[in-house]
Amino acid sequence: MNTLHKKGRQWALGAASIVIFLLLWEASVRLLHVRPITLPPPSAVLLELGNEWHWYLDHAGFTLLTTLGGFALAAVVGVGLAMLLVGSRRFEHAIYPLIVGLNSVPKVAIAPLFVIWLGTGSEPKIAIAFLIAVFAVIVDAVHGLRSVPQDVLDLGRVLKGSTLDFFLKVRLPCALPSILTGMKVAISLALVGAIVGEFVASQRGLGYVILSAQGTFDTTRVFAAVFVLALLGIGLYGGVAWAERRATPWRKLD
């Protein structure tokens, strides 16, 4: 009961801070007579969302699907690569510099290539979301797999299981907290990647809404899309955080 009360208080504080921020924004815009084309008041943004909520929901759904596709691919490939990197020093020395080099390249610079290779559908957006998110999964998974306590490693070796069993039953469960931490970062990065892909070439998605509204100087629509994007990001992060609590019940997570 105390835990539920604490969680409720945390949510209330978070909601209160958002409401106060929006009220200050509204008051500042009205008192300073800021033009809507420069900074619309939150009331205008909420009115825009209320009038066109079906339209925004459709575009948000497209962005959500591409984000989840890129994130799922990053999670599977990232954990798989981390296991190979930890399991083989030779593989690590051969591949890790390539991974770091690819991560250092600005994804906006190579996004047009994915459009050329994969077309203008959802595939290039998923690919860009994957590229931006996968490095966070790899780094945290490698850290977790290498941070297994020595006594646990010794116990696993004494049991004399196969290398795969050792990874799946010893290293992977111990590394799960670090892996899930990386996934919390990766889900936000995947959302960024999906938006980058929509900026480059798309006829759907919140990135497309922002880009098209910018072209017509419709600032209210830009803010409305950003508002939906923020809600989407909070929901996705909260979903992974919930999965983390369920998967690692022995940890004390605030």
Side-chain angles (χ1 to χ4, degrees), residues 15-44:
S17 66
I18 293 174
V19 170
I20 292 171
F21 171 74
L22 293 176
L23 290 174
L24 289 173
W25 177 1
E26 181 84 22
S28 299
V29 168
R30 294 189 180 279
L31 290 173
L32 298 175
H33 303 289
V34 180
R35 294 187 304 163
I37 195 172
T38 303
L39 183 64
S43 57

Side-chain angles (χ1 to χ4, degrees), residues 177-190:
S178 291
I179 293 172
L180 290 170
T181 298
M183 287 186 180
K184 286 197 294 186
V185 177
I187 192 66
S188 299
L189 294 176

